[in-house]
Amino acid sequence: MTWLGDEQFFAGVNTYLHRYAFANAGLDDFVDCLAAAAPHHDVVGWAQSWLRTTGFDTIEVIDTEAGPAVRRRGSRQHSISVVPYDDSLALLDVRHIEVGAEPVVLPGWHDHIILPNAHGETFARAEPRTQDDEMLRRQVSRVTDPIQRAQIWSNAFARLHTRELSPLEFFATVETQLPHETEPSIVRSVITWTLGRGLQVCRSTEEVQAGFEAVATACRARLSRSTDAADSATTAFVDGAVRAGGDSSVLHGWHEQGHIEGVPLSVEQRWVLIWRLVELGAGTPEFITANVSPEDSAQVRDWAERARAAAPNAHAKRAAWSVVEDERVSNRRLRAVLDGLWSTGRGSLPAQQVTTYLTNTQGLTVRCGPGFGALLGSCQSGPGIVFRSAAGPLRCAQRRIRTASSEAMAGLVRRPDQRRMERPVNDPYTRWLLPT
């Protein structure tokens, strides 16, 4: 849409909708309509490059003799905006450029901090210069445009995911910069990503706990100075505070009061708080039961299941696995139990639980079907966050579970013993996954 322009894009869409109303149509038909509406653009070539070509492009800023320049690593044409900041991250200019095979020089910007793809116009990873990236990340809250702040956070996520940025460096950014964020969607995204994929890249229990502490500290810092209950950002910070809090006495106080700094807790937030207390070892089965009444909804009962499975003791984990292995369990209850089973409150889990997951779940998928397997094979339902030494076997297991799920849907399931025969015996993942 950025490339074609609003007028031509919507003209093509309207033509497509009217021409094929109540009829069958495909991608080629849609592309033809866009091409007719934008005769001066190679829409067919764009579709071939963007929709029928694999791979992921990177837009990076580099230094050249002529000055800083933007170039791509990949094969697609990109229409983007590039912005320069001064040392205080005040916006100086906006420039729209087309990035193709040749670098685009930005004359006069040598001493500026430069952010490419500043408004997220293209689907590509953006890489500022190393010194610029560090400055932007450490002072992202100074940037006034929320879309540009979102792009800077996205760049930090990408660098953490590729291990170019250490977890502790990223968590330090969360702790210092997130309290100043005013855009609710950014707050929620940063908290969700940090406590999800962000913890998955951690290599030790200490790093996992640092992630929780960074989010908890950031949320408490914000709530200590701004608690407008009508502000969606405040709600997001409350969510983060109850999910990441590590002081059980403080959490118990919030639960008894029913609010944080005067902001009332919703029913869901109260159950997240209960879940967190249980996974920290500060909530008993009786504590969970006391918060459930016969009139409560099915969702509340699912939250209670998740909390019971989160208890950091062998009895609770065995009880959770008995639910997972029950072929009659509903997908909704299964999801709740899995969320609690792989709870990260203590930063580690008994090795036996991971071994059970790696050895038993493929057979469960074959017996119970694709929906069951999709839950078991998802990263969110696996022990990747809390048992890093199993990361390789875990990914292998999840691939095999998803394959079994797909084959079950297609009616092509083979017996597990046949699968074992088809794997090379020298595969270390096979030796981990399958009993001898």
Side-chain angles (χ1 to χ4, degrees):
M1 189 165 136
T2 302
W3 177 55
L4 289 181
D6 290 358
E7 182 176 347
Q8 291 174 312
F9 175 78
F10 286 116
V13 169
N14 287 332
T15 299
Y16 174 76
L17 294 175
H18 284 89
R19 181 177 299 174
Y20 298 103
F22 309 105
N24 294 327
L27 175 62
D28 289 340
D29 301 312
F30 180 60
V31 170
D32 288 343
C33 291
L34 290 179
H40 301 297
H41 292 76
D42 182 12
V43 180
V44 174
W46 172 87
Q48 180 63 37
S49 175
W50 280 95
L51 306 181
R52 295 190 171 96
T53 302
T54 60
F56 193 77
D57 287 6
T58 297
I59 304 295
E60 63 180 348
V61 180
I62 60 173
D63 286 314
T64 69
E65 292 183 358
V70 177
R71 73 176 179 186
R72 75 178 185 202
R73 295 203 307 268
S75 60
R76 300 174 178 91
Q77 188 80 9
H78 299 272
S79 180
I80 64 171
S81 59
V82 185
V83 299
Y85 306 96
D86 63 18
D87 290 342
S88 65
L89 293 190
L91 183 66
L92 300 175
D93 193 7
V94 179
R95 187 173 300 178
H96 299 277
I97 62 174
E98 296 287 333
V99 184
E102 298 298 324
V104 179
V105 177
L106 304 171
W109 286 15
H110 179 74
D111 296 326
H112 299 326
I113 300 168
I114 301 171
L115 177 67
N117 198 27
H119 295 126
E121 298 96 338
T122 193
F123 187 71
R125 179 180 174 182
E127 288 188 359
R129 293 174 296 188
T130 301
Q131 67 273 20
D132 293 352
D133 183 79
E134 185 173 355
M135 182 71 75
L136 289 166
R137 177 173 51 81
R138 291 185 174 183
Q139 303 184 63
V140 58
S141 58
R142 291 189 176 188
V143 176
T144 57
D145 188 320
I147 297 179
Q148 294 171 20
R149 293 199 303 273
Q151 183 63 51
I152 294 167
W153 279 110
S154 179
N155 293 346
F157 294 153
R159 288 174 60 80
L160 176 64
H161 184 66
T162 58
R163 310 299 197 275
E164 299 168 76
L165 186 67
S166 75
L168 294 181
E169 288 177 307
F170 177 79
F171 297 150
T173 301
V174 172
E175 184 173 335
T176 59
Q177 297 302 305
L178 188 60
H180 306 286
E181 183 53 61
T182 58
E183 179 60 40
S185 61
I186 296 179
V187 176
R188 292 189 184 280
S189 296
V190 171
I191 292 173
T192 299
W193 204 96
T194 302
L195 297 180
R197 297 292 297 276
L199 296 185
Q200 288 182 359
V201 304
C202 293
R203 297 292 185 182
S204 67
T205 299
E206 290 74 21
E207 287 184 342
V208 170
Q209 294 308 317
F212 277 108
E213 290 170 9
V215 172
T217 301
C219 292
R220 289 197 305 269
R222 173 56 178 271
L223 293 172
S224 68
R225 64 172 187 264
S226 176
T227 54
D228 180 3
D231 182 4
S232 296
T234 298
T235 302
F237 280 110
V238 170
D239 289 342
V242 298
R243 181 65 192 96
D247 187 328
S248 58
S249 62
V250 172
L251 296 177
H252 270 299
W254 291 343
H255 180 263
E256 292 172 2
Q257 296 164 10
H259 66 83
I260 300 177
E261 301 290 345
V263 181
L265 295 173
S266 67
V267 175
E268 182 174 1
Q269 288 168 339
R270 286 179 66 88
W271 273 103
V272 172
L273 189 55
I274 293 168
W275 174 24
R276 183 62 176 156
L277 281 166
V278 171
E279 69 179 356
L280 290 172
T284 64
E286 293 75 19
F287 173 64
I288 299 171
T289 302
N291 284 276
V292 182
S293 68
E295 296 79 21
D296 282 333
S297 66
Q299 187 175 37
V300 169
R301 292 194 292 273
D302 288 341
W303 288 333
E305 288 271 17
R306 179 174 66 174
R308 292 189 184 97
N313 61 72
H315 174 74
K317 301 308 179 186
R318 284 196 299 269
W321 268 111
S322 69
V323 174
V324 174
E325 294 176 338
D326 183 354
E327 298 179 6
R328 298 166 298 175
V329 66
S330 68
N331 283 7
R332 189 176 68 186
R333 187 183 181 198
L334 176 64
R335 164 61 74 186
V337 170
L338 287 170
D339 283 345
L341 179 66
W342 301 121
S343 180
T344 55
R346 292 285 183 175
S348 62
L349 283 177
Q352 181 59 41
Q353 303 303 324
V354 179
T355 303
T356 302
Y357 176 84
L358 294 174
T359 56
N360 293 357
T361 45
Q362 184 184 342
L364 284 170
T365 297
V366 172
R367 294 196 301 274
C368 299
F372 197 93
L375 288 176
L376 287 173
S378 68
C379 292
Q380 291 78 12
S381 302
I385 295 176
V386 292
F387 201 84
R388 293 304 307 170
S389 62
L394 170 64
R395 285 192 292 270
C396 180
Q398 290 174 332
R399 284 195 299 270
R400 295 181 65 178
I401 292 165
R402 289 192 291 268
T403 299
S405 174
S406 300
E407 292 177 350
M409 187 176 293
L412 300 174
V413 171
R414 301 184 298 280
R415 295 194 314 275
D417 60 326
Q418 290 176 312
R419 293 177 183 278
R420 284 198 288 269
M421 294 298 293
E422 293 168 3
R423 298 286 295 176
V425 295
N426 61 347
D427 182 347
Y429 291 170
T430 301
R431 292 201 298 271
W432 178 289
L433 287 166
L434 301 173
T436 56

